[in-house]
Amino acid sequence: MASSSDVSSSAENTPENPESGSVERRGRVRLRRAAVMAVPATLAAAGLAVLTAQGALGVQFAISGMPFVVTADKLEGDGFAQFGSLDHMIEDSPNQGDTGGQVLVVTSVVKSGKLTNLCQSVDLGGIQLVLTAGNKGTKVGVENLAIDSDEITGNADFNNIEIGRDASTFDKVGTRGLPGVYGQQADKVVITDLYQHNYAATAAVFKLPDLRMSFDSKGCSK
């Protein structure tokens, strides 16, 4: 992790621009870039170690900055990897708040998987857009799924897990991190009572049987 002296040094070396008022903003962004060296991933039963990243990007598009929740009774995956990432919003995004337009996340990758009783919701400002699928006997199917989250909980079981492997050398999924990035991968993963607070997701295939979308006062919950 970056020391306090490193952070203060970066702030002192930030060029001033009184007219634009950019000193505070640039200092905050640099602080968040230093903080990416300590991204936590919480999987309740797994007791996962701290994941770190050095600017690795989980997605290749500008995120909206509006988080969404995903829950599932069960996730079963063949080929699993996880590493820290840094997502970016567009410049001057109305959703950036005090983040400087950057969000620290953990990227979780599943090569091929099934989800039982999937629920996804996003808060649109007092009303929730809710999507459900895979709740009538046919599971949701995914391939090359990558999700960027800042909170994950559940009960997890891994087969042949490798913790602390360099993310650029992953060979169990189709996605790799940057050289020197701390990561972990496993042959298989099963997570029950899954909850994710996410900022982005990509998938090569996303099959949603019994899909239903609606507006509701309540979103998906743990």
Side-chain angles (χ1 to χ4, degrees), residues 71-173:
T71 64
D73 289 348
K74 190 175 187 179
L75 164 67
E76 304 163 272
D78 290 324
F80 175 80
Q82 201 169 53
F83 54 92
S85 305
L86 185 65
D87 284 349
H88 301 265
M89 303 175 206
I90 61 172
E91 186 175 358
D92 298 322
S93 168
N95 298 320
Q96 71 180 27
D98 63 354
T99 67
Q102 299 175 323
V103 180
L104 300 174
V105 294
V106 172
T107 297
S108 302
V109 183
V110 176
K111 184 176 182 181
S112 177
K114 302 287 185 182
L115 296 106
T116 304
N117 195 19
L118 172 71
C119 180
Q120 175 180 306
S121 63
V122 57
D123 189 342
L124 299 178
I127 189 169
Q128 300 278 340
L129 175 60
V130 181
L131 177 155
T132 59
N135 54 6
K136 295 183 179 180
T138 303
K139 300 177 182 179
V140 171
V142 296
E143 293 181 17
N144 297 324
L145 173 68
I147 297 183
D148 288 358
S149 317
D150 65 354
E151 182 182 1
I152 309 171
T153 64
N155 302 302
D157 291 316
F158 299 96
N159 284 359
N160 297 324
I161 190 169
E162 299 171 346
I163 300 174
R165 179 162 176 162
D166 189 300
S168 69
T169 68
F170 284 162
D171 55 12
K172 300 183 186 298
V173 297

Side-chain angles (χ1 to χ4, degrees), residues 40-53:
T42 305
L43 276 172
L48 299 182
V50 171
L51 302 176
T52 63

Side-chain angles (χ1 to χ4, degrees), residues 3 29 58 72-73 80 89 126 157 163 202 207 214 222:
S3 67
V29 171
D73 289 348
F80 175 80
M89 303 175 206
D157 291 316
I163 300 174
T202 62
K207 297 181 180 180
S214 61
K222 295 183 181 181

Side-chain angles (χ1 to χ4, degrees), residues 15-50:
E16 295 188 5
N17 188 342
E19 294 182 359
S20 64
S22 62
V23 176
E24 181 182 352
R25 180 179 174 186
R26 291 182 181 176
R28 183 166 58 242
V29 171
R30 291 189 179 186
L31 180 60
R32 292 189 64 78
R33 286 176 178 169
V36 76
M37 299 298 292
V39 181
T42 305
L43 276 172
L48 299 182
V50 171

